[in-house]
Amino acid sequence: MDSLFSAQTRRADLDSLAAAPVDLLVIGGGITGAGIARDAALRGIRTALLDAGDFGGGTSSRSTRLVHGGLRYLEHGWLRLVFEASRERRVLLRIAPHLVRPMPFLFPVHAGGRVGRWRLAAGLWLYDLLSAFRNVHTHRTLSRRAVQKAEPQLRSRDLVGGAVYYDAYCNDARLVLANARAAHRSGALVANYAAVRSFEKADGQIRGALVDDVLEGRRFTIHARVIVNATGPWTDAIRRLDEPDAQPLLRPTKGVHVAVPRQRVGNAGALTITSPVDGRVMFILPSDEITIIGTTDTDYAGDPAAVTPTADDVTYLLRSANAVFPDARLAPQDVIAAWAGLRPLLKDGVEGTTAAVPREHRICESAAGLLTIAGGKLTTYRVMATELVDVVATKLHRIDGRPVPERAPTDVEPLPGGEVADLDLLVRELVKEQVPAQVARHLVNTYGSEAMAVANLAARDSALAEPLGPGVPILKAEVVHQARREMAVSVGDVMLRRTHLFHRHPSQGTEVTPVVAGLLARELDWDAAREAASLAGYLAEVQRMRQALTPPPAS
Ligand SMILES: Cc1cc2nc3c(=O)[nH]c(=O)nc-3n(C[C@H](O)[C@H](O)[C@H](O)COP(=O)(O)OP(=O)(O)OC[C@H]3O[C@@H](n4cnc5c(N)ncnc54)[C@H](O)[C@@H]3O)c2cc1C
């Protein structure tokens, strides 16, 4: 079984960091920073990974959750990006098969739509070509009748045909967590809720960072030979801690998703559509009993921590979905949840529409030696990490003459939980151990090869075999597992990023939060005040989302 990854390991790792220097401090535990820490630790570099909040709490838990070549990018001629991302799709399907799964997408074509049949066919041929015809399957064009058969609720007026192509769908927040855990397993010192507040310099070079342990109320300095800024939408804020006059590298754009009951939309599978409102490419994605609709793409200049969906964002998404699924008649009151994230896109002097801002990444170094990695995508995080750690390794060689380590096998080494080729076999093994089939499927899809560990917790203590509550099919054992092995240290960590109950449950799971808080309190040795504070923190988050969705009163 994998090593522990918990509040205790967090405390011990922070103690070690306060006591002795590291080679590399990675600021930011989104997918970019977690990927870098895993790569560096695998190369034997003494690494620390810190996030000001929870792992993936920034953009990386608010994505469309696609591990994709990026069909849309063909329109902009970003062929290299599509090629690279297609290769990464293959890699991630292999190293985390439980978290990244193949998904067919239907692209319907309506007469008068922005993308016609021939353009779509040409684009999909190129898409398959750029994946060297090694995608899950090659695309298929469909007649009007075949599209109707596949998606009977789709608008039939003006429908002329369509195509099915393949990409992958992932659990974004758990992919981040898997990378952070992998880094820890390879020796990195890792903590969430540890925020970098300022840098310490000697001879004009950054030598350390002042860090607040937000959970325990401690403050200390971490000394590091190299420091990497991997903070997504916070990139420029961290750069300004080093160079107060630094010009912005980023042009962040906001993307909103909504979740609605799937039976209202009636979509059989995943669809790629062009919004009838403005012609933008959008996705309608099934996730068990809900449908996720996204996304918007609008410039955003405010505080990254304050980004929220607005009533206008929701209206746009619902109008777009209603235009392709006319019987859905979705209205704001049908929205189960809505969430917003910020794309940390490179500024690069691009003017014009946000969709045309390149999704590529850049590595740069300040005069004081701060390395910053900006831009990129969830899909290409591993490539970004490799490039960045190459730079770190060379820098360390220059500093103390140590040999430059070989590249780490991050493309073949499975992520935690990914040590499994056949998920169905795992499900069958759990069923043999008397785990109900539906529970077994859920555990395998969430924890992969670690599903048995969760099932064992439930088997040893029958109270933990119960679900959190009626209609909430998450086992109590999962919360215990998440506290011990996934560093869940707050109710929000469980509800938002480890179970996604916030995004998928009609009441954001608020009726079971006392149960979650109770289980965490026992695991983490909380007193009543701390338990209440954690509960209140999550309820405030729920309230913030609901308030953002309430239209302002008509004046
Ligand atoms: C709406 C939307 C949809 C998207 N869909 C897709 C998709 O389908 N597929 C895809 O490939 N990509 C997608 N992307 C892009 C992808 O999600 C991002 O490129 C990626 O998640 C960025 O990760 P990151 O680690 O760079 O940033 P983040 O995930 O934001 O991580 C940065 C972290 O830095 C931490 N931090 C900030 N300040 C400090 C500090 N002082 N000290 C310590 N830590 C700090 C934050 O807490 C945060 O966790 C989408 C993005 C958006 C917004």
Side-chain angles (χ1 to χ4, degrees), residues 436-502:
Q438 220 179 342
V439 175
R441 172 64 60 191
H442 155 72
L443 292 180
V444 169
N445 286 349
T446 311
Y447 305 96
S449 54
E450 296 175 341
M452 193 61 92
V454 183
N456 285 343
L457 279 177
R460 280 199 295 271
D461 179 349
S462 61
L464 296 181
E466 293 168 8
L468 289 177
V472 184
I474 306 285
L475 302 186
K476 290 179 180 169
E478 292 180 65
V479 178
V480 172
H481 178 86
Q482 290 166 9
R484 292 181 190 173
R485 314 259 170 202
E486 298 186 345
M487 209 181 277
V489 292
S490 79
V491 172
D493 294 349
V494 171
M495 304 299 286
L496 280 144
R497 289 165 294 272
R498 284 160 188 73
T499 63
H500 283 141
L501 276 171
F502 175 92

Side-chain angles (χ1 to χ4, degrees), residues 208-277:
L210 188 69
V211 172
D212 272 343
D213 174 350
V214 181
L215 279 189
E216 310 279 343
R218 307 187 278 172
R219 171 169 277 210
F220 47 86
T221 299
I222 294 177
H223 294 281
R225 287 184 174 79
V226 180
I227 299 190
V228 167
N229 170 14
T231 53
W234 288 267
T235 296
D236 288 324
I238 295 292
R239 287 174 62 238
R240 283 194 291 268
L241 294 180
D242 169 29
E243 296 177 332
D245 300 327
Q247 290 303 306
L249 264 181
L250 295 188
R251 175 184 172 182
T253 74
K254 181 174 86 160
V256 171
H257 291 87
V258 293
V260 294
R262 184 162 166 195
Q263 57 177 29
R264 283 296 302 280
V265 182
N267 60 311
L271 292 101
T272 306
I273 60 165
T274 51
S275 166
V277 178

Side-chain angles (χ1 to χ4, degrees), residues 46-184:
R46 185 172 153 79
T47 301
L49 171 67
L50 302 182
D51 197 283
D54 190 19
F55 308 112
T59 302
S60 300
S61 59
R62 300 152 193 259
S63 79
T64 308
R65 305 177 189 166
L66 302 182
V67 168
H68 60 158
L71 186 57
R72 190 174 73 68
Y73 305 151
L74 294 179
E75 294 192 297
H76 301 286
W78 300 337
L79 302 189
R80 198 176 68 87
L81 179 59
V82 176
F83 176 76
E84 192 170 72
S86 303
R87 194 189 53 209
E88 284 308 298
R89 182 181 55 208
R90 277 200 303 281
V91 168
L92 293 177
L93 283 164
R94 193 171 58 229
I95 65 172
H98 59 309
L99 298 177
V100 183
R101 270 170 283 153
M103 188 176 254
F105 285 76
L106 176 71
F107 198 133
V109 177
H110 288 90
R114 193 171 61 73
V115 178
R117 267 203 293 179
W118 297 115
R119 188 153 164 229
L120 179 64
L124 288 176
W125 187 85
L126 183 57
Y127 204 53
D128 284 338
L129 177 72
L130 288 170
S131 71
F133 295 100
R134 287 164 70 197
N135 197 350
V136 186
H137 297 289
T138 48
H139 79 276
R140 280 193 328 273
T141 49
L142 299 181
S143 65
R144 176 181 201 271
R145 186 182 303 193
V147 173
Q148 278 180 316
K149 193 165 168 224
E151 287 290 348
Q153 298 304 315
L154 194 68
R155 190 181 94 211
S156 57
R157 185 166 48 83
D158 299 331
L159 183 67
V160 290
V164 171
Y165 71 96
Y166 289 82
D167 263 321
Y169 190 63
C170 78
N171 187 326
D172 53 6
R174 296 192 68 85
L175 188 64
V176 179
L177 191 58
N179 276 279
R181 292 181 58 209
H184 188 253

